[in-house]
Amino acid sequence: CTELCSECSNGKCVKCIDGYHYNQYTYYDTCTKCHSSCKDCDGTNDNDCIDCNDGFYVTPSGTCASCDTQCTTCKGSSTNCTSCKPGQYILSGRCLNCDNSCQSCEGTSNHCTKCHQNYYLYEGKCISSCEEIGPNYGANSNQECIKCDLSNCVEYDEACQCLKCEKGYYVISDPITLIEICLPCNLENCDECSKNEDEEGVTCTKCSDGYYVYTDPNTQSKSCAPCGENCKSCTETACTECNEGFYANSEGQCRQCQAPCIQCSGNDG
């Protein structure tokens, strides 16, 4: 096809690009420029328009006439708007102003489709923070509030990036999406862990009940070692909390409460 031809058949042009008219009555089939008032046409005169530029519409006589000033585009008549200026919406062919809270709207003045800077869209309303909706809501790149939903994540920031994972997982930035995600610690008896600074492996920072973080004095590697008998949480040298029915004495050991107690404290239970 030639430069001005958008469709051809058997080496001949059958359709021209916008702004040009296919003239089959010349010796060579050619694309002739429409009248300057037309966007598209079926002839070269000003009354051969079949489509007009924005701000104009095709009259019954085939000419292009100006839309009403309220319209960005119109059809059929000057006051039958098909699109409006920013901050307006169409109602029965008329352009009406959106509510001040909306940057754009549709259907009604206060049904927002886009918000001003530093405001976020949620169910047709513009709000100052997604936290107003409730926990675990954040904003996407379109300034819309969404329910944050990352696997194994229990706490998010305002952009739905994970801040805290559920037990047995840790936060890491996905190298491809740059989204904070949760990966399993894969460490025995470990509830919380973190990525090592050397980017290889993870280190346990909190062990499951009945275990404590033990640091090997020779290798400095960390693992979860068991607490003493009937101990729920401990340090390397003493129990800090015992199982139900037991108490920690002054030496950091768990001793059974005296009957009929199931909870006790002190040195004699």
Side-chain angles (χ1 to χ4, degrees):
C1 291
T2 62
E3 182 181 357
L4 300 177
C5 185
S6 64
E7 188 178 331
C8 53
S9 177
N10 297 323
K12 296 181 64 177
C13 185
V14 293
K15 187 178 180 181
C16 301
I17 62 173
D18 283 352
Y20 286 81
H21 161 61
Y22 172 61
N23 190 345
Q24 61 180 327
Y25 299 110
T26 57
Y27 182 75
Y28 295 105
D29 294 343
T30 59
C31 290
T32 307
K33 190 172 178 61
C34 297
H35 189 273
S36 59
S37 63
C38 306
K39 182 178 181 180
D40 200 7
C41 63
D42 56 9
T44 57
N45 297 319
D46 64 355
N47 63 347
D48 290 328
C49 303
I50 57 175
D51 194 12
C52 301
N53 294 311
D54 287 352
F56 295 83
Y57 71 100
V58 180
T59 66
S61 62
T63 60
C64 286
S66 297
C67 297
D68 188 87
T69 53
Q70 67 171 319
C71 309
T72 301
T73 58
C74 61
K75 186 177 182 179
S77 73
S78 63
T79 56
N80 184 39
C81 304
T82 54
S83 66
C84 303
K85 299 171 185 175
Q88 295 184 318
Y89 70 103
I90 294 177
L91 182 64
S92 301
R94 297 171 56 215
C95 288
L96 303 175
N97 290 331
C98 296
D99 186 84
N100 289 334
S101 64
C102 308
Q103 183 172 330
S104 62
C105 62
E106 66 178 10
T108 63
S109 63
N110 60 0
H111 186 267
C112 306
T113 56
K114 190 175 181 180
C115 301
H116 298 291
Q117 189 172 4
N118 297 325
Y119 284 83
Y120 304 92
L121 184 66
Y122 182 69
E123 295 185 344
K125 301 293 183 183
C126 291
I127 57 179
S128 59
S129 171
C130 297
E131 292 179 352
E132 294 178 23
I133 306 167
N136 297 338
Y137 276 84
N140 62 17
S141 58
N142 295 322
Q143 287 181 257
E144 299 168 332
C145 290
I146 57 172
K147 180 74 172 177
C148 303
D149 186 22
L150 293 173
S151 296
N152 307 303
C153 184
V154 296
E155 189 177 327
Y156 300 86
D157 66 9
E158 67 280 357
C160 274
Q161 294 277 45
C162 190
L163 295 176
K164 184 179 180 181
C165 300
E166 65 181 27
K167 187 181 293 186
Y169 290 80
Y170 68 100
V171 177
I172 187 172
S173 181
D174 187 295
I176 298 176
T177 64
L178 301 182
I179 294 174
E180 304 298 311
I181 59 174
C182 294
L183 292 181
C185 294
N186 287 330
L187 297 173
E188 191 174 5
N189 302 309
C190 181
D191 282 355
E192 295 179 13
C193 63
S194 61
K195 185 74 174 172
N196 292 337
E197 292 183 3
D198 60 8
E199 296 299 321
E200 290 188 10
V202 293
T203 296
C204 190
T205 54
K206 183 181 179 182
C207 297
S208 306
D209 285 351
Y211 294 82
Y212 69 96
V213 178
Y214 169 73
T215 303
D216 189 295
N218 298 315
T219 64
Q220 298 303 306
S221 62
K222 297 181 185 296
S223 61
C224 290
C227 298
E229 189 177 5
N230 298 311
C231 183
K232 185 176 181 180
S233 62
C234 64
T235 64
E236 188 171 350
T237 58
C239 187
T240 55
E241 183 182 357
C242 298
N243 294 328
E244 189 174 280
F246 294 82
Y247 69 97
N249 64 16
S250 58
E251 297 176 351
Q253 298 171 328
C254 290
R255 294 288 182 262
Q256 191 167 12
C257 298
Q258 294 184 22
C261 287
I262 58 171
Q263 252 185 337
C264 58
S265 62
N267 286 322
D268 55 8

